[in-house]
């Protein structure tokens, strides 16, 4: 088990673990019941530590550029972060958000 923990984040094993919907659902439910905000981890088959670092650098540069543009134009600009891989946990959170929205709409319309 100790060897598995030392594998790089972009290894096939860790990618499979982080992209497993059932395991993500169990972790999400456990975090939800404990009141913890789930930690964001980014893994995918093509996502490496180098690519993650470059994406972080690109986000920083985009923020600096937006700040400089805002100083010149006087209008603040919203920075859109660079895309990251979408994992099983992200899909579950999105599905839960959609379900919560549907439940609220149902309550507002008096159908629930």
């Amino acid at each position: 088990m100790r060897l598995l923990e030392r594998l790089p984040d972009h290894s096939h094993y860790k990618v499979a673990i982080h992209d497993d919907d059932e395991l993500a659902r169990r972790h999400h439910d456990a975090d939800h019941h404990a009141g913890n905000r789930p930690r964001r981890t980014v893994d995918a088959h093509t996502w490496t530590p180098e690519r993650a670092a470059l994406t972080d650098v690109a986000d920083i540069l985009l923020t600096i550029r937006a700040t400089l543009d805002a100083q010149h134009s006087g209008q603040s600009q919203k920075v859109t972060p660079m895309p990251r891989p979408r994992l099983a946990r992200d899909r579950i959170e999105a599905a839960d958000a959609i379900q919560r929205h549907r439940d609220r709409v149902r309550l507002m319309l008096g159908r629930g």
Side-chain angles (χ1 to χ4, degrees):
M1 190 58 123
R2 296 185 112 201
L3 289 175
L4 293 176
E5 293 172 357
R6 293 180 185 218
L7 288 173
D9 287 337
H10 61 281
S11 69
H12 290 288
Y13 173 77
K14 284 199 175 177
V15 168
I17 291 296
H18 287 292
D19 206 32
D20 182 11
D21 290 330
E22 183 180 329
L23 185 61
R25 171 59 71 189
R26 278 192 260 146
H27 284 291
H28 179 266
D29 291 344
D31 288 342
H32 181 70
H33 291 300
N36 297 338
R37 178 76 183 137
R39 195 186 90 209
R40 294 277 179 187
T41 58
V42 180
D43 287 327
H45 294 287
T46 60
W47 196 256
T48 62
E50 295 83 11
R51 189 168 178 185
L54 289 173
T55 304
D56 291 340
V57 169
D59 284 343
I60 291 168
L61 291 174
L62 287 171
T63 304
I64 291 171
R65 180 179 172 196
T67 303
L68 292 174
D69 288 345
Q71 286 179 348
H72 290 299
S73 68
Q75 299 175 350
S76 67
Q77 299 176 354
K78 183 178 179 185
V79 178
T80 304
M82 298 294 291
R84 265 103 173 150
R86 193 165 180 217
L87 301 175
R89 174 167 261 168
D90 300 322
R91 292 189 295 269
I92 289 170
E93 287 177 0
D96 286 347
I98 290 170
Q99 187 59 43
R100 283 193 308 272
H101 172 72
R102 288 181 181 157
D103 292 342
R104 287 183 194 128
V105 168
R106 199 172 313 133
L107 285 172
M108 294 295 289
L109 295 177
R111 297 180 186 166

